[in-house]
Amino acid sequence: GAVVSQHPSRVICKSGTSVKIECRSLDFQATTMFWYRQFPKQSLMLMATSNEGSKATYEQGVEKDKFLINHASLTLSTLTVTSAHPEDSSFYICSARVLAGSYYEQYFGPGTRLTVT
Amino acid sequence: GQNIDQPTEMTATEGAIVQINCTYQTSGFNGLFWYQQHAGEAPTFLSYNVLDGLEEKGRFSSFLSRSKGYSYLLLKELQMKDSASYLCAAMDSNYQLIWGAGTKLIIKP
């Protein structure tokens, strides 16, 4: 299957600072990438859909000025958590969608565990 | 509205068989996905069904009935490493995945 990488895997930052998370599709081009957040023992929550070369589409309740998404190329999308607060501590997972024959498959990066102190 | 239902938790014995059910309601339908997620890790793709019937892949099989809005994941010869959460997701008419809350599967020796 397709490989998606995510960096960093873990990050600890101080409250008020910004953190950038990178998501790369390694062996395919992804026109669409997704950013999810997952709190402990809860399901994935879609934050935004990112299409290459255009503005991301944010889900209801997700602040676009706080969670900046840039999808500048077909293999790279970045999520920047600005002015992070302890409540932003979570597991952030990116996913890339790829056309496999006549249907779409969706592959996940390994995730980034963010801890804001 | 769009909705995915699956049991919260199931327990099974090592070596046995377990079936995890999923019902879905979506705006349009472009397939049903199953993912496995171990604690602290990202989900990994297990299976995809878009036509009615059973798809077998080693110890794992997935079934779909489009008319009933129903799918199940069947795990055979359970191993301790199969302890994980199993996520059911349906792809809607916009090719967006609608996620269930996941079923935590506990395997006992």
Side-chain angles (χ1 to χ4, degrees):
Chain A
V3 179
V4 178
S5 72
Q6 204 170 326
H7 178 80
S9 58
R10 290 179 180 273
V11 58
I12 300 173
C13 71
K14 292 186 177 180
S15 187
T17 61
S18 295
V19 173
K20 180 186 281 189
I21 303 170
E22 291 188 350
C23 177
R24 294 181 185 273
S25 56
L26 296 186
D27 51 0
F28 66 99
Q29 293 182 327
T31 53
T32 303
M33 288 186 173
F34 304 90
W35 286 96
Y36 292 86
R37 181 166 56 183
Q38 187 176 37
F39 293 105
K41 299 185 179 180
Q42 294 187 24
S43 187
L44 298 168
M45 187 193 82
L46 179 64
M47 298 175 67
T49 301
S50 167
N51 290 297
E52 185 265 337
S54 63
K55 291 183 179 179
T57 303
Y58 289 82
E59 296 298 301
Q60 194 172 8
V62 178
E63 299 174 59
K64 62 180 181 181
D65 294 330
K66 180 170 181 63
F67 299 99
L68 301 178
I69 292 172
N70 185 295
H71 193 162
S73 78
L74 287 171
T75 59
L76 173 65
S77 177
T78 60
L79 167 68
T80 301
V81 183
T82 62
S83 187
H85 291 286
E87 57 264 31
D88 297 325
S89 298
S90 186
F91 192 44
Y92 291 86
I93 312 170
C94 74
S95 174
R97 189 169 70 191
V98 59
L99 189 61
S102 58
Y103 66 92
Y104 284 105
E105 288 186 356
Q106 195 161 320
Y107 293 92
F108 288 84
T112 297
R113 190 162 299 282
L114 171 64
T115 303
V116 185
T117 60
Chain B
Q2 307 200 100
N3 191 51
I4 308 287
D5 282 317
Q6 54 182 127
T8 304
E9 187 174 295
M10 298 182 71
T11 302
T13 305
E14 190 177 15
I17 299 173
V18 70
Q19 178 175 310
I20 303 174
N21 296 323
C22 170
T23 58
Y24 64 89
Q25 287 180 307
T26 53
S27 302
F29 180 74
N30 280 297
L32 194 292
F33 294 77
W34 284 96
Y35 287 82
Q36 180 191 60
Q37 185 177 25
H38 285 100
E41 298 179 11
T44 55
F45 172 80
L46 286 179
S47 68
Y48 170 79
N49 295 66
V50 69
L51 301 176
D52 287 351
L54 187 69
E55 295 275 347
E56 296 186 73
K57 197 184 289 186
R59 294 189 299 114
F60 292 4
S61 303
S62 56
F63 172 84
L64 176 68
S65 168
R66 295 182 64 154
S67 62
K68 295 181 179 178
Y70 167 71
S71 173
Y72 67 73
L73 180 69
L74 190 72
L75 293 77
K76 302 177 185 177
E77 301 169 18
L78 286 170
Q79 301 175 10
M80 297 304 292
K81 67 178 182 180
D82 297 331
S83 292
S85 286
Y86 291 85
L87 308 176
C88 171
M91 185 168 275
D92 68 11
S93 57
N94 293 320
Y95 299 99
Q96 299 275 49
L97 283 179
I98 310 301
W99 293 89
T103 298
K104 182 179 180 181
L105 178 63
I106 300 169
I107 310 294
K108 294 186 175 180

